[in-house]
Amino acid sequence: MNSVQSIPVVVLSGFLGSGKTTVLNHLLTHRGGTRIGVVVNDFGSIEIDAMAVAGQVGDSMVSLGGGCLCCAVDGSELDAYLEKLAAPVHRIDVIVIEASGLAEPQEMVRMLVANENPAVRYGGLVQVVDAAEFDATRAAHPETDRHLAVADLVVLNKTDRVDPAERARIEAELAALAAPGTPLVGADHGRIDPELLFDRRPWTETRGQLSFEDLLAEAGEHAHGDGEEHAGHVHAAYESVSFTTDQALSPRRFIDFLDRRPAGLYRIKGFVWFGVPGHRERYEVHAVGRFLRFDPGPWGQGEPRRTRLVLIGRGIDGPGLLDELDACREADPGQAGPESMWGVLRYVPRPPAEDVPADDVPAEDG
């Protein structure tokens, strides 16, 4: 991976009591070696429950040995804190913003998309919904419908508190309220697979005899007891499909595939080789739910021109997805005109020439 890549910023939203902090706690305790920066948008000087496993945090920024940086801020301070978190000295891999239960998540999304700091990039909006209080929340907060409409991923939390028929009803309503194709993940006690949002790195940092990861896992065991030993195995509910090819992909057919991706396909990550003249960079693709982004960058020295993708979902047709990706192969990408890349470039944050160092592109390609 490119060492100067921007840091994805994921917004975690939902009304008071929906379980955002519980989801955040789960991400922190199952993050592997990933260094997470956390911004908690409290709009007040309350204690942050999300840090219960690693010490209480007030209204100041702290740096933990395990790599969590946490801030309690209001919206006006967001840019300044993102700049601090993105400083290379912290080596942060991903930033999670836990929005206030009374915040307008679409405003945070607008701020992140408009942010001119090249060190950070918008990484998707995750809306947490309380299954047990769904109807009451909608009645008290009609703006729920608006928030769901802009979500990239919906987490239906506290599913253990409703019966199967009620859950099915709520899921049907959520599907109607969210944008078409928005993935819906069910969870109890906020347990979602962190891999749906970010890559977990191997844990290497230790303090004394135990790593922080060991200590966090141990704390989780004491907190949950023997009855919840399955908490660390949420990944078992998801399927992963890998696709690799040395043949270029047609940008038009690949974008069509992404536009038609099924709701159960939560995440797509990897690198794509299009081979179109003038666009022979390596395109990193990142999708969380409906959110999609391409980041062009140079190929490494001696790195083969190759597409490598990982698709993560639930209830997906793995062989069918691979067949669709096979159909995206392009035998002669050199014959494609620049207009074939327009669909891809819609999801590039700025023109590639502003971001991408010179590649070993033939002179005739400009």
Side-chain angles (χ1 to χ4, degrees):
M1 281 207 161
N2 194 334
S3 60
V4 296
Q5 281 187 321
S6 54
I7 301 170
V9 182
V10 177
V11 178
L12 189 63
S13 68
F15 283 103
L16 297 169
S18 61
K20 299 187 304 298
T21 298
T22 306
V23 171
L24 180 56
N25 256 326
H26 179 77
L27 295 176
L28 290 171
T29 54
H30 295 82
R31 59 191 164 89
T34 303
R35 298 177 68 88
I36 305 176
V38 179
V39 179
V40 179
N41 184 207
D42 287 323
F43 295 101
S45 57
I46 62 173
E47 292 183 342
I48 301 171
D49 293 337
M51 293 299 99
V53 295
Q56 293 295 328
V57 178
D59 288 333
S60 60
M61 182 173 69
V62 298
S63 176
L64 303 176
C68 295
L69 295 178
C70 311
C71 321
V73 302
D74 61 36
S76 65
E77 298 173 302
L78 184 59
D79 286 347
Y81 275 104
L82 289 177
E83 185 174 356
K84 290 180 180 179
L85 289 169
V89 66
H90 300 309
R91 296 181 290 120
I92 289 297
D93 299 308
V94 62
I95 297 171
V96 178
I97 298 177
E98 182 188 349
S100 162
L102 302 178
E104 287 287 346
Q106 60 266 51
E107 291 303 320
M108 285 194 171
V109 171
R110 287 193 187 101
M111 284 192 290
L112 290 169
V113 171
N115 192 300
E116 296 182 354
N117 184 351
V120 297
R121 58 182 168 86
Y122 175 57
L125 170 64
V126 179
Q127 181 76 12
V128 182
V129 176
D130 183 341
E133 301 293 333
F134 176 66
D135 293 327
T137 300
R138 281 191 74 197
H141 302 281
E143 59 269 35
T144 298
D145 295 5
R146 186 174 67 251
H147 296 176
L148 287 165
V150 297
D152 296 299
L153 180 68
V154 177
V155 175
L156 181 60
N157 195 30
K158 306 183 185 180
T159 54
D160 55 313
R161 295 181 56 190
V162 296
D163 61 39
E166 177 69 356
R167 175 176 175 174
R169 178 189 70 83
I170 295 171
E171 288 179 343
E173 291 199 35
L174 290 173
L177 292 169
T182 302
L184 171 65
V185 179
D188 62 88
H189 299 89
R191 294 191 291 253
I192 66 170
D193 193 336
E195 291 283 347
L196 297 181
L197 304 179
F198 55 79
D199 293 330
R200 284 181 288 185
R201 300 175 182 273
W203 189 269
T204 57
E205 189 170 0
T206 60
R207 293 291 185 274
Q209 297 300 312
L210 292 175
S211 70
F212 277 106
E213 186 76 355
D214 294 330
L215 294 172
L216 291 171
E218 184 177 299
E221 290 172 6
H222 288 311
H224 297 304
D226 294 336
E228 298 196 12
E229 66 275 5
H230 61 283
H233 300 284
V234 290
H235 63 276
Y238 303 101
E239 303 168 59
S240 177
V241 178
S242 297
F243 175 79
T244 302
T245 178
D246 290 329
Q247 194 169 347
L249 296 191
S250 161
R252 284 175 170 156
R253 291 198 292 274
F254 187 56
I255 285 292
D256 183 56
F257 165 80
L258 293 173
D259 286 342
R260 294 182 292 101
R261 63 190 186 274
L265 184 54
Y266 304 133
R267 189 174 181 214
I268 302 172
K269 58 182 179 177
F271 301 98
V272 185
W273 161 237
F274 293 116
V276 175
H279 300 279
R280 291 180 171 170
E281 305 93 347
R282 182 183 70 173
Y283 281 79
E284 180 180 3
V285 60
H286 173 74
V288 173
R290 292 171 52 246
F291 171 74
L292 176 63
R293 178 186 174 108
F294 285 95
D295 284 294
W299 296 93
Q301 185 174 4
E303 182 179 1
R305 278 44 175 166
R306 175 180 297 156
T307 292
R308 293 166 291 159
L309 297 172
V310 176
L311 301 87
I312 302 172
R314 186 172 187 176
I316 56 176
D317 176 9
L321 291 174
L322 292 177
D323 287 343
E324 291 189 56
L325 287 169
D326 274 331
C328 294
R329 298 176 194 256
E330 179 59 63
D332 191 2
Q335 297 302 311
E339 69 279 0
S340 66
M341 288 292 295
W342 289 351
V344 172
L345 296 179
R346 283 189 299 130
Y347 298 101
V348 172
R350 56 182 63 84
E354 295 181 21
D355 279 342
V356 183
D359 191 17
D360 55 346
V361 180
E364 64 268 21
D365 293 335

